[in-house]
Amino acid sequence: MKAFRLMPVAIGIIALFTGEASAADPATVNWKSVPTKTVALFYPAQSTYQWLRGADHAGAPVVTGGGACLTCHKDAEEKLGNKLVKANKLEPTPVDGKNGVVKLNVQVAYDKENAYFRFQWKTNNPYPGEAYPFYRFDGKEWKTYGAQKLAAAVRKGEQPGVYEDRLTMMIDDGGVPAFAGQGCWLTCHNGERDAPNQPSAAEVKASPFFQAIKKADVRKYLPSTRTDELASWDKGKSLEEIAKIKAAGGFLDLIQWRAHRSNPVGMADDGYVLEWRNFDAGKNMFSSNMDAKTKQPKFMYDEKKVGKKALRIEDIRKTSTVLIRGQTAVPFDPNAGWKEGDLVSQYVVSREDAAGSAADNKEAKGVWKDGMWTVVWARKLNLTNPDDKALVEGKVYNFAFAVHDDNVTSRGHFVSFPATLGFGVKADIQATRLK
Ligand code: HEC
């Protein structure tokens, strides 16, 4: 851990020598001078794009016409979340003990080079969700172990509920029609994971559109990339048409701080939503820990640092479960005398491996204390990558926030209605200009 804390300093020194602007440390911002906006996030259950436009939603005609959710649902987050999180027509698989609402404290500042964000929210559990599902040795083979709480295996009690906490921002600069009024709900569709009418893996594989985009499951997408009025998952436009939408800026930035796969190396990921939920070009700070050829993990824990080569289920929530290359991870030894129940993480994390546009969020750090995450994050202004929405002084953006809490992924998160965020411009959330 020591080595990591020194890293920003090292980067600063390298920057001095290369004449490059240094990556700013968001922890050094005087956050007391930056106003806090509290945004209510709520559990959306299966309120998909298609449901919102269907006969069961009283607001369907207005939504179909591109109208804003807040026209009818202003200050309704608590009522919606507390109802939707329990069993109801939009929630076929409720998670026991789950809260319906999360209050997210948001602070935003900026200077010449960076936007700075600070977030705080309470977790439902008395521990940080830093673990990710594992590979478990069953005496013969390494098999996936643990899953998010919406998964059937967890609901049936066959697997423990394990997933990392996350903080997500979706950013639109006006390039995505209706995002200002309908936010994330443009991206959430029937057919996606844990949504209604989810196709089988074979059905996805047989879809010519999914063959063209080379994806094996359905994830967030924008209606503009589909051909039919209800934007069906499998009715995609041609790759050429989708490339044109992207070039014209018709996509959303989607950037995520992840408690397991990015936070331990002080980063957040960088993706975008268009025909799918893509990662930016380059390489993420996390990669699979499974060797496809040997069917064995690539890395195990460094015994000198972690005290053991593999964890056991009793260790979770007591010790860090993250495999950091060069710090807590060393190459896997197939002859280490593995025992049934041994666990290693499904991912290996590395700051040095991250590259290109996927590595833009180099300064994001969360600390969990007394039941609360505090995440600070710097994002460079004026990015020029074709898969980013450049944040620019003098401009206003539509933001949507999400938090994944208590071992869930996919739609098991809390989401906000969209809000405007301005850098030197009047907006729902106004970024404070730092000197
Ligand atoms: C023209 C008004 C109107 C608009 C616009 C509208 N809704 Fe609704 N919505 C309603 C009404 C009325 C109901 C049913 C009564 C209620 O629960 O408030 C409802 C119900 C819902 C429910 C189910 C709540 C429950 O109690 O089961 C969800 C979820 C929802 N709306 C989400 C949205 C979202 C997301 C948007 C924007 C994409 C939206 N609505 C836009 C009027 C609207």
Side-chain angles (χ1 to χ4, degrees):
M1 274 339 245
K2 258 213 176 91
F4 162 66
R5 280 205 202 97
L6 289 174
M7 208 151 348
V9 178
I11 289 166
I13 292 167
I14 294 164
L16 268 181
F17 282 108
T18 56
E20 230 181 81
S22 71
D25 182 355
T28 62
V29 171
N30 176 17
W31 287 109
K32 287 201 179 70
S33 72
V34 180
T36 300
K37 176 98 179 175
T38 303
V39 180
L41 311 188
F42 66 99
Y43 187 80
Q46 291 185 335
S47 53
T48 59
Y49 184 89
Q50 289 73 23
W51 180 83
L52 288 161
R53 284 158 184 73
D56 292 336
H57 181 222
V62 175
V63 173
T64 301
C69 310
L70 287 177
T71 319
C72 309
H73 293 296
K74 195 162 171 2
D75 298 325
E77 290 92 344
E78 301 217 20
K79 189 178 146 237
L80 285 167
N82 289 331
K83 176 174 178 198
L84 294 170
V85 77
K86 305 274 185 300
N88 69 87
K89 61 185 191 307
L90 285 173
E91 185 46 81
T93 59
V95 171
D96 267 358
K98 194 163 186 61
N99 43 319
V101 181
V102 162
K103 295 280 173 68
L104 180 70
N105 286 340
V106 181
Q107 290 169 278
V108 191
Y110 71 106
D111 59 18
K112 276 207 298 280
E113 280 161 26
N114 294 285
Y116 303 93
F117 299 88
R118 183 172 184 265
F119 299 100
Q120 286 195 305
W121 72 97
K122 288 198 182 111
T123 57
N124 200 20
N125 292 315
Y127 57 80
E130 72 81 53
Y132 193 89
F134 296 90
Y135 290 119
R136 179 184 182 275
F137 191 62
D138 69 359
K140 276 201 217 130
E141 288 174 282
W142 291 88
K143 293 196 176 134
T144 59
Y145 185 70
Q148 69 137 338
K149 285 191 168 179
L150 289 172
V154 178
R155 286 187 281 112
K156 286 186 217 146
E158 296 162 6
Q159 297 261 337
V162 180
Y163 211 84
E164 66 183 343
D165 289 349
R166 266 144 64 190
L167 181 282
T168 303
M169 290 188 256
M170 231 184 226
I171 310 171
D172 165 52
D173 59 359
V176 173
F179 188 86
Q182 301 184 358
C184 334
W185 282 271
L186 289 180
T187 71
C188 176
H189 298 269
N190 286 357
E192 288 174 17
R193 298 178 300 165
D194 301 309
N197 311 331
Q198 195 181 332
S200 66
E203 283 169 316
V204 177
K205 212 172 167 192
S207 151
F209 179 60
F210 273 70
Q211 287 166 12
I213 64 172
K214 301 192 175 72
K215 302 292 182 195
D217 60 17
V218 186
R219 301 197 187 180
K220 286 187 184 64
Y221 60 84
L222 290 177
S224 60
T225 62
R226 300 307 199 262
T227 54
D228 60 327
E229 198 176 341
L230 271 182
S232 309
W233 68 270
D234 57 343
K235 305 251 177 5
K237 289 187 179 166
S238 70
L239 297 187
E240 293 73 31
E241 284 171 294
I242 291 169
K244 270 191 203 143
I245 298 170
K246 187 177 175 202
F251 65 91
L252 301 167
D253 229 324
L254 175 67
I255 54 184
Q256 305 197 63
W257 168 90
R258 299 165 176 272
H260 184 93
R261 289 184 287 175
S262 77
N263 188 49
V265 294
M267 298 182 80
D269 76 17
D270 198 342
Y272 69 98
V273 183
L274 183 57
E275 81 291 359
W276 205 72
R277 197 224 65 203
N278 300 293
F279 286 117
D280 284 5
K283 194 170 181 322
N284 279 327
M285 62 291 318
F286 55 88
S287 56
S288 169
N289 187 30
M290 179 51 64
D291 187 324
K293 270 204 207 111
T294 62
K295 305 266 192 293
Q296 295 195 325
K298 292 177 178 166
F299 290 89
M300 60 186 187
Y301 298 98
D302 183 346
E303 202 166 7
K304 286 191 226 97
K305 309 264 176 62
V306 182
K308 38 179 109 174
K309 293 187 177 70
L311 299 177
R312 308 288 296 181
I313 193 71
E314 315 80 78
D315 299 323
I316 301 181
R317 317 300 180 200
K318 291 184 197 127
T319 182
S320 168
T321 62
V322 185
L323 282 165
I324 307 175
R325 206 166 61 74
Q327 290 185 39
T328 58
V330 289
F332 182 78
D333 173 4
N335 305 311
W338 300 105
K339 293 187 296 294
E340 184 182 349
D342 281 344
L343 303 172
V344 294
S345 177
Q346 286 183 16
Y347 280 89
V348 61
V349 183
S350 164
R351 187 176 176 97
E352 294 75 29
D353 282 2
S357 187
D360 281 333
N361 293 305
K362 288 188 170 63
E363 299 294 332
K365 188 73 192 157
V367 174
W368 187 91
K369 193 168 173 278
D370 300 333
M372 170 113 86
W373 275 115
T374 301
V375 173
V376 288
W377 185 340
R379 181 162 174 85
K380 274 207 154 46
L381 299 180
N382 310 314
L383 286 168
T384 54
N385 307 310
D387 39 24
D388 287 321
K389 289 285 161 186
L391 300 177
V392 175
E393 181 168 29
K395 282 185 79 171
V396 65
Y397 299 84
N398 304 304
F399 268 67
F401 304 99
V403 157
H404 282 84
D405 177 58
D406 185 18
N407 306 291
V408 292
T409 184
S410 68
R411 67 172 179 82
H413 53 4
F414 301 95
V415 294
S416 75
F417 285 125
T420 56
L421 197 159
F423 296 91
V425 188
K426 252 196 166 358
D428 300 332
I429 303 171
Q430 261 168 263
T432 300
R433 177 74 152 99
L434 302 171
K435 292 283 168 298

